[in-house]
Amino acid sequence: MAHPSMLGFQDAASPVMEELIHFHDHALMIVIMVSTLVFYMIVTTVSTQLTNKYIIDSQEIEVVWTILPAGILILIALPSLNILYLMDEIDDPHLTIKAVGHQWYWSYEYTDYEDLGFDAYMVPTQDLLPGQFRLLETDHRVVVPMETPIRVMVSAEDVLHSWAVPALGVKLDAVPGRLNQTAFITGRPGLFYGQCSEICGANHSFMPIVVEAVPLKHFEDWSSLMLEDA
């Protein structure tokens, strides 16, 4: 969960988010090295005899500043392609959840069960319980079993929305008439908060998402209780 004055990402709760954080750190180190090298060359050029035209017009330097950026792009591209394929991998999901965006709330269907579904609205500020977060808490949470492959299919009823949970490394557009899908695995129990990340109208900022990861036994108890109440 993010907190005031926080720098960086939230703690990763899925393997994909861990890889995204590692890639961010990898790319940031490259950016720092490139920025340092360019700054050094600028300072050196304006303050020493490197301004000599024979140095600036050197064929060797032109070869270096052509090959070096190409090598840097390869160092960035290879790990990013690996993560892209990892994020698109949906291999034998154990549970499928359909999330549909509306103005301005989410509705969910657990497609492996016949009658398990609900709408999730933001809890008004005056109804919040101690410990709950303003503008982030919902009246129904998306309960999932931890350490289990979960597939999420996302669509929208009216306008463009986006189903995003930063700690899980998930951000998927909800497009009317189209069904997009992604997958995630929660590596630990907990509550993971997100919001609609598409400007979808006046109440865009009031479409929170709460994913609750629990042990499998607790999920079975919850799903049985929800089916009895349906």
XYZ file of all heavy atoms in Angstrom, residues 87-164:
647
model
N 3.940 -11.414 -19.133
C 2.655 -10.813 -18.795
C 1.525 -11.355 -19.675
O 0.372 -11.390 -19.250
C 2.739 -9.288 -18.929
C 3.683 -8.640 -17.940
S 3.904 -6.868 -18.203
C 2.286 -6.265 -17.741
N 1.857 -11.766 -20.884
C 0.834 -12.300 -21.786
C 0.598 -13.796 -21.579
O -0.320 -14.361 -22.177
C 1.228 -12.055 -23.244
C 1.071 -10.600 -23.644
O 0.289 -9.899 -22.972
O 1.731 -10.167 -24.607
N 1.424 -14.434 -20.776
C 1.309 -15.875 -20.581
C 0.120 -16.200 -19.683
O 0.043 -15.745 -18.546
C 2.598 -16.419 -19.948
C 2.612 -17.917 -19.764
C 2.702 -18.680 -21.080
O 3.193 -18.096 -22.072
O 2.285 -19.848 -21.113
N -0.817 -16.956 -20.206
C -1.965 -17.411 -19.427
C -2.006 -18.925 -19.546
O -2.540 -19.486 -20.508
C -3.280 -16.781 -19.935
C -3.195 -15.253 -19.869
C -4.473 -17.278 -19.111
C -4.423 -14.547 -20.410
N -1.397 -19.591 -18.600
C -1.195 -21.033 -18.680
C -2.049 -21.744 -17.631
O -1.755 -21.692 -16.440
C 0.290 -21.362 -18.476
C 0.586 -22.835 -18.679
O -0.246 -23.534 -19.306
O 1.641 -23.293 -18.203
N -3.112 -22.388 -18.084
C -3.968 -23.213 -17.230
C -4.413 -22.480 -15.965
O -4.054 -22.865 -14.848
C -3.225 -24.508 -16.864
C -4.145 -25.499 -16.148
O -5.368 -25.440 -16.372
O -3.627 -26.317 -15.366
N -5.191 -21.410 -16.102
C -5.672 -20.693 -14.900
C -6.617 -21.564 -14.086
O -7.424 -22.302 -14.636
C -6.397 -19.481 -15.491
C -6.808 -19.908 -16.866
C -5.723 -20.822 -17.347
N -6.511 -21.462 -12.764
C -7.378 -22.239 -11.881
C -8.683 -21.526 -11.569
O -9.623 -22.146 -11.067
C -6.648 -22.537 -10.575
C -5.454 -23.425 -10.764
N -4.637 -23.811 -9.719
C -4.924 -24.013 -11.868
C -3.671 -24.580 -10.166
N -3.809 -24.718 -11.467
N -8.722 -20.219 -11.850
C -9.925 -19.442 -11.560
C -10.008 -18.299 -12.560
O -9.001 -17.678 -12.890
C -9.870 -18.881 -10.133
C -11.073 -18.050 -9.660
C -12.318 -18.924 -9.548
C -10.767 -17.373 -8.330
N -11.206 -18.054 -13.069
C -11.423 -16.976 -14.024
C -12.435 -15.985 -13.458
O -13.508 -16.384 -12.995
C -11.935 -17.514 -15.377
O -10.955 -18.398 -15.934
C -12.179 -16.368 -16.354
N -12.073 -14.710 -13.511
C -12.937 -13.640 -13.016
C -13.189 -12.658 -14.156
O -12.241 -12.235 -14.832
C -12.301 -12.902 -11.818
C -12.026 -13.879 -10.676
C -13.191 -11.761 -11.345
C -11.239 -13.267 -9.528
N -14.434 -12.329 -14.364
C -14.791 -11.326 -15.377
C -15.114 -10.019 -14.665
O -15.997 -9.973 -13.805
C -15.982 -11.787 -16.209
C -16.377 -10.809 -17.310
C -17.561 -11.326 -18.112
C -17.977 -10.341 -19.191
N -19.155 -10.820 -19.953
N -14.403 -8.951 -15.043
C -14.620 -7.624 -14.463
C -15.178 -6.707 -15.544
O -14.581 -6.568 -16.615
C -13.313 -7.058 -13.910
N -16.312 -6.098 -15.265
C -16.975 -5.205 -16.217
C -17.069 -3.814 -15.600
O -17.594 -3.649 -14.489
C -18.373 -5.726 -16.598
C -19.039 -4.780 -17.597
C -18.287 -7.134 -17.181
N -16.561 -2.820 -16.312
C -16.596 -1.458 -15.823
C -17.879 -0.753 -16.203
O -18.376 -0.867 -17.324
N -18.449 -0.029 -15.240
C -19.645 0.783 -15.455
C -19.342 2.192 -14.954
O -18.393 2.421 -14.218
C -20.843 0.221 -14.672
C -21.146 -1.220 -14.955
N -22.036 -1.639 -15.908
C -20.654 -2.359 -14.386
C -22.103 -2.965 -15.919
N -21.267 -3.430 -15.006
N -20.187 3.142 -15.320
C -20.076 4.471 -14.725
C -20.906 4.499 -13.437
O -22.137 4.568 -13.513
C -20.572 5.527 -15.709
C -19.653 5.714 -16.917
C -20.165 6.795 -17.852
O -21.340 6.854 -18.179
N -19.277 7.654 -18.292
N -20.327 4.473 -12.217
C -18.913 4.371 -11.967
C -18.716 3.327 -10.883
O -18.589 3.649 -9.708
C -18.361 5.737 -11.554
C -18.236 6.673 -12.711
C -17.143 6.786 -13.527
C -19.180 7.612 -13.204
N -17.358 7.748 -14.497
C -18.610 8.272 -14.323
C -20.481 7.950 -12.820
C -19.287 9.237 -15.045
C -21.148 8.922 -13.549
C -20.539 9.555 -14.650
N -18.668 2.090 -11.275
C -18.435 0.973 -10.357
C -18.011 -0.213 -11.206
O -18.066 -0.199 -12.442
C -19.709 0.647 -9.550
C -20.869 0.145 -10.394
C -21.112 -1.215 -10.547
C -21.736 1.038 -11.040
C -22.171 -1.680 -11.323
C -22.791 0.583 -11.802
C -23.001 -0.774 -11.948
O -24.035 -1.232 -12.723
N -17.572 -1.275 -10.516
C -17.173 -2.516 -11.192
C -18.148 -3.628 -10.828
O -18.623 -3.698 -9.696
C -15.763 -2.933 -10.768
C -14.682 -2.009 -11.216
C -14.107 -1.002 -10.487
C -14.049 -1.995 -12.495
N -13.150 -0.364 -11.230
C -13.088 -0.951 -12.476
C -14.179 -2.762 -13.648
C -12.272 -0.656 -13.564
C -13.367 -2.470 -14.744
C -12.435 -1.425 -14.698
N -18.425 -4.486 -11.779
C -19.183 -5.699 -11.494
C -18.296 -6.899 -11.819
O -17.512 -6.860 -12.778
C -20.481 -5.757 -12.298
O -20.214 -5.782 -13.689
N -18.434 -7.942 -11.007
C -17.560 -9.110 -11.132
C -18.385 -10.380 -11.248
O -19.438 -10.518 -10.616
C -16.632 -9.211 -9.913
C -15.695 -8.036 -9.760
C -16.025 -6.975 -8.921
C -14.491 -7.986 -10.442
C -15.184 -5.890 -8.779
C -13.639 -6.899 -10.310
C -13.988 -5.861 -9.479
O -13.144 -4.786 -9.334
N -17.883 -11.308 -12.060
C -18.474 -12.636 -12.191
C -17.359 -13.674 -12.065
O -16.346 -13.575 -12.754
C -19.173 -12.794 -13.543
C -20.307 -11.833 -13.799
C -20.873 -12.002 -15.203
O -20.610 -13.057 -15.825
O -21.544 -11.070 -15.682
N -17.576 -14.625 -11.189
C -16.663 -15.762 -11.087
C -17.212 -16.829 -12.038
O -18.148 -17.551 -11.706
C -16.598 -16.271 -9.649
C -15.822 -15.368 -8.720
C -16.312 -14.120 -8.359
C -14.585 -15.764 -8.213
C -15.604 -13.281 -7.516
C -13.865 -14.928 -7.358
C -14.379 -13.693 -7.015
O -13.665 -12.865 -6.170
N -16.634 -16.893 -13.230
C -17.244 -17.680 -14.296
C -17.180 -19.189 -14.056
O -17.872 -19.936 -14.739
C -16.559 -17.361 -15.639
O -15.165 -17.664 -15.560
C -16.729 -15.874 -15.976
N -16.356 -19.631 -13.105
C -16.307 -21.060 -12.793
C -17.468 -21.481 -11.900
O -17.664 -22.674 -11.659
C -14.981 -21.400 -12.101
C -13.788 -21.090 -12.991
O -13.495 -21.894 -13.884
O -13.177 -20.018 -12.801
N -18.222 -20.503 -11.395
C -19.387 -20.781 -10.564
C -20.624 -20.237 -11.282
O -20.562 -19.232 -11.982
C -19.255 -20.114 -9.192
C -18.050 -20.583 -8.399
C -16.799 -20.000 -8.598
C -18.166 -21.584 -7.448
C -15.692 -20.417 -7.877
C -17.066 -22.005 -6.724
C -15.833 -21.413 -6.939
O -14.744 -21.833 -6.224
N -21.742 -20.870 -11.069
C -22.938 -20.504 -11.829
C -23.538 -19.181 -11.377
O -23.960 -18.371 -12.204
C -23.982 -21.619 -11.711
C -25.215 -21.380 -12.567
C -26.163 -22.561 -12.544
O -25.803 -23.608 -11.973
O -27.266 -22.432 -13.087
N -23.590 -18.933 -10.090
C -24.303 -17.756 -9.590
C -23.448 -16.875 -8.694
O -23.968 -16.191 -7.809
C -25.559 -18.179 -8.811
C -26.566 -18.894 -9.687
O -26.805 -18.402 -10.806
O -27.101 -19.931 -9.262
N -22.147 -16.888 -8.904
C -21.264 -16.100 -8.038
C -20.860 -14.815 -8.767
O -20.053 -14.821 -9.704
C -20.024 -16.900 -7.658
C -19.040 -16.222 -6.692
C -19.751 -15.628 -5.497
C -17.967 -17.197 -6.251
N -21.447 -13.720 -8.358
C -21.150 -12.423 -8.949
C -21.677 -11.311 -8.060
O -22.567 -11.520 -7.232
N -21.150 -10.110 -8.229
C -21.572 -8.986 -7.390
C -21.086 -7.683 -8.018
O -20.212 -7.671 -8.900
C -21.025 -9.111 -5.967
C -19.535 -9.374 -5.904
C -18.629 -8.313 -5.982
C -19.040 -10.664 -5.777
C -17.256 -8.538 -5.933
C -17.678 -10.903 -5.728
C -16.782 -9.842 -5.805
N -21.656 -6.588 -7.565
C -21.195 -5.244 -7.929
C -20.354 -4.692 -6.780
O -20.662 -4.937 -5.609
C -22.377 -4.311 -8.194
C -23.209 -4.764 -9.390
O -22.634 -5.386 -10.303
O -24.431 -4.493 -9.397
N -19.321 -3.954 -7.112
C -18.425 -3.381 -6.103
C -18.457 -1.860 -6.208
O -17.980 -1.293 -7.192
C -17.007 -3.905 -6.283
N -19.042 -1.221 -5.198
C -19.127 0.233 -5.146
C -18.159 0.770 -4.099
O -17.845 0.092 -3.101
C -20.543 0.678 -4.770
C -21.594 0.386 -5.815
C -22.252 -0.844 -5.821
C -21.938 1.330 -6.774
C -23.227 -1.133 -6.768
C -22.921 1.060 -7.725
C -23.552 -0.173 -7.719
O -24.513 -0.446 -8.659
N -17.722 1.993 -4.297
C -16.868 2.642 -3.305
C -17.656 2.909 -2.023
O -18.827 3.290 -2.073
C -16.340 3.958 -3.863
C -15.335 4.652 -2.958
S -14.969 6.336 -3.482
C -16.475 7.162 -2.997
N -17.005 2.668 -0.889
C -17.634 2.950 0.402
C -17.563 4.450 0.668
O -16.466 5.033 0.639
C -16.933 2.175 1.531
C -17.533 2.534 2.883
C -17.026 0.675 1.289
N -18.704 5.118 0.902
C -18.671 6.571 1.193
C -17.825 6.867 2.428
O -17.700 6.033 3.339
C -20.145 6.914 1.433
C -20.919 5.824 0.751
C -20.072 4.584 0.867
N -17.282 8.063 2.458
C -16.386 8.452 3.558
C -17.052 8.299 4.921
O -16.429 7.816 5.880
C -15.915 9.902 3.363
O -15.260 10.026 2.098
C -14.956 10.314 4.472
N -18.317 8.669 5.009
C -18.993 8.612 6.306
C -19.259 7.183 6.771
O -19.555 6.963 7.957
C -20.322 9.393 6.257
C -21.348 8.841 5.291
C -21.201 9.419 3.894
O -20.145 9.966 3.558
N -22.248 9.318 3.100
N -19.142 6.205 5.886
C -19.409 4.815 6.256
C -18.137 4.000 6.472
O -18.214 2.790 6.729
C -20.247 4.126 5.165
C -21.627 4.760 5.021
O -22.109 5.324 6.016
O -22.207 4.690 3.915
N -16.985 4.629 6.360
C -15.729 3.903 6.511
C -15.538 3.427 7.945
O -15.879 4.125 8.899
C -14.548 4.798 6.118
C -14.384 5.114 4.627
C -13.266 6.132 4.439
C -14.097 3.852 3.827
N -14.988 2.243 8.085
C -14.640 1.695 9.393
C -13.195 2.055 9.721
O -12.401 2.379 8.826
C -14.822 0.176 9.384
C -16.242 -0.331 9.094
C -16.254 -1.848 9.018
C -17.228 0.165 10.135
N -12.812 1.994 10.997
C -11.419 2.296 11.360
C -10.440 1.396 10.604
O -10.620 0.179 10.530
C -11.389 2.011 12.870
C -12.799 2.231 13.314
C -13.665 1.766 12.182
N -9.426 2.006 10.026
C -8.434 1.256 9.274
C -8.700 1.183 7.788
O -7.813 0.784 7.022
N -9.891 1.555 7.347
C -10.191 1.544 5.921
C -9.747 2.850 5.270
O -9.689 3.886 5.917
C -11.689 1.317 5.683
C -12.169 -0.067 6.097
C -13.637 -0.296 5.781
O -14.412 0.652 5.666
N -14.023 -1.552 5.645
N -9.450 2.770 3.975
C -8.873 3.898 3.261
C -9.939 4.642 2.465
O -10.712 4.035 1.719
C -7.768 3.424 2.311
C -6.593 2.817 3.017
C -6.463 1.437 3.111
C -5.626 3.619 3.598
C -5.385 0.874 3.768
C -4.544 3.065 4.253
C -4.427 1.692 4.342
N -9.935 5.951 2.602
C -10.881 6.799 1.877
C -10.634 6.715 0.370
O -9.490 6.728 -0.086
C -10.731 8.239 2.366
C -11.601 9.250 1.636
C -11.427 10.636 2.226
N -12.130 11.640 1.442
C -11.594 12.307 0.430
N -10.326 12.073 0.095
N -12.289 13.202 -0.243
N -11.698 6.591 -0.387
C -11.698 6.519 -1.854
C -11.104 5.228 -2.397
O -10.997 5.065 -3.611
C -10.950 7.713 -2.477
C -11.450 9.112 -2.140
C -10.648 10.150 -2.921
C -12.929 9.256 -2.461
N -10.714 4.300 -1.524
C -10.114 3.051 -1.977
C -10.882 1.812 -1.528
O -10.680 0.728 -2.086
C -8.662 2.936 -1.492
C -7.632 3.832 -2.175
C -6.265 3.645 -1.530
C -7.561 3.537 -3.661
N -11.727 1.946 -0.534
C -12.429 0.779 0.000
C -13.717 0.541 -0.777
O -14.385 1.476 -1.218
C -12.744 0.977 1.479
C -13.170 -0.291 2.184
C -12.091 -1.352 2.154
O -10.958 -1.080 2.586
O -12.403 -2.474 1.675
N -14.066 -0.733 -0.981
C -15.295 -1.105 -1.680
C -16.179 -1.942 -0.770
O -15.700 -2.566 0.191
C -14.989 -1.912 -2.959
O -14.269 -3.108 -2.609
C -14.156 -1.095 -3.925
N -17.479 -1.966 -1.107
C -18.388 -2.746 -0.281
C -18.245 -4.246 -0.520
O -18.634 -5.058 0.327
C -19.841 -2.303 -0.515
C -20.242 -2.405 -1.982
O -19.383 -2.708 -2.828
O -21.437 -2.171 -2.276
N -17.714 -4.645 -1.668
C -17.404 -6.054 -1.953
C -15.981 -6.141 -2.492
O -15.614 -5.388 -3.402
C -18.380 -6.647 -2.966
C -19.760 -6.862 -2.433
N -20.745 -5.906 -2.519
C -20.315 -7.926 -1.801
C -21.852 -6.362 -1.977
N -21.622 -7.585 -1.519
N -15.198 -7.041 -1.932
C -13.823 -7.225 -2.372
C -13.729 -8.402 -3.330
O -14.504 -9.352 -3.248
C -12.906 -7.459 -1.169
C -12.802 -6.254 -0.236
C -12.104 -6.619 1.057
N -11.893 -5.443 1.918
C -11.454 -5.508 3.156
N -11.193 -6.700 3.710
N -11.283 -4.400 3.860
N -12.746 -8.333 -4.226
C -12.473 -9.443 -5.136
C -11.583 -10.432 -4.388
O -10.381 -10.221 -4.256
C -11.781 -8.949 -6.423
C -11.565 -10.116 -7.389
C -12.609 -7.860 -7.088
N -12.184 -11.482 -3.881
C -11.450 -12.467 -3.091
C -10.869 -13.521 -4.023
O -11.584 -14.084 -4.864
C -12.367 -13.117 -2.035
C -11.589 -14.137 -1.213
C -12.968 -12.038 -1.127
N -9.568 -13.788 -3.894
C -8.892 -14.779 -4.728
C -8.011 -15.657 -3.844
O -7.511 -15.200 -2.815
C -8.033 -14.115 -5.827
C -8.904 -13.284 -6.767
C -6.932 -13.254 -5.218
N -7.815 -16.909 -4.231
C -6.879 -17.763 -3.481
C -5.444 -17.403 -3.824
O -5.108 -17.162 -4.990
C -7.232 -19.174 -3.966
C -7.839 -18.974 -5.319
C -8.521 -17.643 -5.286
N -4.594 -17.340 -2.824
C -3.197 -17.002 -3.046
C -2.454 -18.175 -3.671
O -2.884 -19.327 -3.595
C -2.525 -16.600 -1.727
C -2.615 -17.639 -0.623
S -1.822 -17.129 0.904
C -0.094 -17.240 0.437
N -1.339 -17.853 -4.344
C -0.472 -18.840 -4.997
C -1.255 -19.701 -5.992
O -0.991 -20.888 -6.140
C 0.240 -19.704 -3.957
C 1.144 -18.901 -3.026
C 1.845 -19.773 -2.002
O 1.400 -20.906 -1.798
O 2.826 -19.296 -1.413
N -2.217 -19.078 -6.660
C -3.054 -19.770 -7.640
C -3.142 -18.910 -8.897
O -3.391 -17.711 -8.803
C -4.469 -20.001 -7.076
O -4.378 -20.784 -5.889
C -5.345 -20.721 -8.084
N -2.950 -19.491 -10.090
C -3.075 -18.699 -11.326
C -4.507 -18.196 -11.509
O -5.452 -18.977 -11.549
C -2.693 -19.701 -12.433
C -1.944 -20.795 -11.738
C -2.517 -20.883 -10.356
N -4.657 -16.893 -11.615
C -5.966 -16.258 -11.766
C -6.012 -15.559 -13.128
O -5.107 -14.786 -13.459
C -6.232 -15.222 -10.662
C -5.984 -15.824 -9.272
C -7.641 -14.673 -10.782
C -6.920 -16.929 -8.903
N -7.053 -15.841 -13.892
C -7.261 -15.122 -15.148
C -8.350 -14.075 -14.931
O -9.400 -14.363 -14.363
C -7.671 -16.080 -16.268
C -8.041 -15.362 -17.568
C -8.247 -16.331 -18.711
N -9.248 -17.333 -18.392
C -9.520 -18.388 -19.158
N -8.818 -18.587 -20.259
N -10.460 -19.256 -18.812
N -8.093 -12.860 -15.417
C -9.067 -11.772 -15.315
C -9.452 -11.338 -16.727
O -8.578 -10.980 -17.533
C -8.510 -10.570 -14.533
C -9.560 -9.472 -14.425
C -8.059 -10.999 -13.146
N -10.722 -11.410 -17.029
C -11.244 -10.930 -18.301
C -11.940 -9.600 -18.043
O -12.791 -9.512 -17.150
C -12.206 -11.948 -18.912
C -11.551 -13.285 -19.209
S -12.614 -14.409 -20.129
C -13.958 -14.635 -18.960
N -11.579 -8.580 -18.799
C -12.024 -7.222 -18.522
C -12.767 -6.652 -19.730
O -12.299 -6.771 -20.871
C -10.827 -6.313 -18.166
C -11.292 -4.896 -17.885
C -10.084 -6.872 -16.960
N -13.908 -6.051 -19.465
C -14.671 -5.358 -20.497
C -15.368 -4.166 -19.860
O -15.189 -3.891 -18.670
C -15.691 -6.304 -21.146
O -16.332 -5.673 -22.244
N -16.156 -3.432 -20.649
C -16.862 -2.261 -20.144
C -18.265 -2.235 -20.713
O -18.522 -2.736 -21.808
C -16.122 -0.980 -20.501
N -19.157 -1.624 -19.965
C -20.565 -1.541 -20.360
C -20.857 -0.269 -21.147
O -21.733 -0.258 -22.000
C -21.447 -1.581 -19.114
C -22.938 -1.585 -19.385
C -23.434 -2.892 -19.988
O -22.753 -3.927 -19.804
O -24.487 -2.872 -20.647
N -20.104 0.816 -20.873
C -20.480 2.105 -21.438
C -19.315 2.832 -22.105
O -19.304 3.016 -23.307
C -21.103 2.980 -20.344
C -20.464 2.728 -18.983
O -19.222 2.716 -18.919
O -21.202 2.552 -17.994
N -18.312 3.216 -21.318
C -17.166 3.957 -21.860
C -15.888 3.209 -21.504
O -15.920 2.156 -20.870
C -17.122 5.396 -21.300
C -18.358 6.171 -21.688
C -16.942 5.390 -19.781
N -14.753 3.767 -21.900
C -13.472 3.140 -21.603
C -13.157 3.221 -20.109
O -13.288 4.277 -19.494
C -12.346 3.823 -22.383
C -12.355 3.663 -23.901
C -11.223 4.482 -24.504
C -12.228 2.214 -24.311
N -12.743 2.108 -19.542
C -12.252 2.046 -18.174
C -10.908 1.324 -18.193
O -10.434 0.893 -19.247
C -13.242 1.317 -17.260
C -14.596 1.960 -17.184
N -14.856 3.070 -16.417
C -15.776 1.645 -17.792
C -16.121 3.421 -16.541
N -16.707 2.569 -17.376
N -10.293 1.175 -17.035
C -9.039 0.434 -16.956
C -8.927 -0.213 -15.579
O -8.998 0.475 -14.557
C -7.843 1.362 -17.200
O -6.634 0.624 -17.209
N -8.759 -1.528 -15.558
C -8.682 -2.299 -14.321
C -7.212 -2.399 -13.932
O -6.438 -3.080 -14.598
C -9.293 -3.682 -14.531
C -9.711 -4.371 -13.272
C -10.870 -4.202 -12.590
C -8.981 -5.387 -12.564
N -10.908 -5.032 -11.492
C -9.777 -5.766 -11.454
C -7.751 -5.997 -12.759
C -9.353 -6.746 -10.547
C -7.325 -6.950 -11.854
C -8.128 -7.323 -10.754
N -6.839 -1.701 -12.865
C -5.420 -1.607 -12.515
C -5.214 -1.831 -11.028
O -5.877 -1.213 -10.200
C -4.876 -0.230 -12.906
